[in-house]
Amino acid sequence: MTDPLTGRNALLKGSCFCGSVTYVIFAPPVLSAYCHCTNCQRLNACPCVHTIHFEESDFEWTHNEPHSELLDFYNNPLKPYKRRIRCKRCGVGVTSHNSNTRRVSVWAAGLERDSEGTILNWDVAKPTAHIFYGTHVLAANDELGKWEGYEGKSNRLG
């Protein structure tokens, strides 16, 4: 998909489970990591989530229906600058928006895949680290660095 205003080509595409909510991303991520923070654990009901952060200018919704028909919002009272966005139809969390950093986060599980289930353009999306690993509930035995907070901005744990 090409952005008609800028002529940029999409690097990644994604959607909710039912496919009602869709989006494209036009630039490489600012961050791609497995997040083990307690907010991600509780908001996603899983031990960690592969979060991918982009500048909001590199993210675009592509569904045809009005947002009010498709999107539901949750503002975290502990971090009011973070808004979680999910599909009203299937309930899947699609993105998160941080108004302080002006970034959008998507989760790798929602990215477009080929017929064998492999995420398209994996080299663009693949994680580089485990972040907030100090609160992990599932050990990760891989070669990626484990960080107390954000990669390169906190203490390395492993």
Side-chain angles (χ1 to χ4, degrees), residues 138-155:
L138 178 67
N141 295 319
D142 59 26
E143 301 299 316
L144 299 178
K146 280 78 174 170
W147 296 85
E148 187 176 283
Y150 287 105
E151 180 182 12
K153 297 179 180 177
S154 65
N155 294 327

Side-chain angles (χ1 to χ4, degrees), residues 29 119-126:
I119 293 173
L120 298 177
N121 288 336
W122 177 247
D123 286 343
V124 173
K126 69 182 175 185

Side-chain angles (χ1 to χ4, degrees), residues 54-128:
F54 300 90
E55 300 296 342
E56 68 182 15
S57 61
D58 295 324
F59 175 91
E60 186 175 298
W61 297 109
T62 56
H63 48 264
N64 291 324
E65 293 185 56
H67 292 328
S68 62
E69 298 293 318
L70 294 175
L71 303 178
D72 190 24
F73 306 97
Y74 175 73
N75 293 324
N76 184 340
L78 300 174
K79 296 181 178 184
Y81 52 90
K82 284 193 171 184
R83 172 176 265 194
R84 295 253 171 177
I85 303 165
R86 66 180 179 187
C87 174
K88 283 185 178 180
R89 294 184 179 153
C90 66
V92 166
V94 183
T95 68
S96 177
H97 181 263
N98 184 322
S99 61
N100 285 351
T101 63
R102 302 182 59 86
R103 291 185 177 156
V104 173
S105 302
V106 302
W107 299 281
L111 293 176
E112 184 178 44
R113 298 166 185 254
D114 65 19
S115 60
E116 284 131 33
T118 303
I119 293 173
L120 298 177
N121 288 336
W122 177 247
D123 286 343
V124 173
K126 69 182 175 185
T128 60

Side-chain angles (χ1 to χ4, degrees), residues 11-42:
L11 288 178
L12 298 167
K13 297 178 185 179
S15 70
C16 62
F17 181 78
C18 72
S20 296
V21 175
T22 57
Y23 60 85
V24 294
I25 298 160
F26 295 104
V30 175
L31 174 142
S32 181
Y34 293 115
C35 185
H36 297 265
C37 79
T38 57
N39 281 326
C40 282
Q41 290 170 4
R42 296 182 72 207

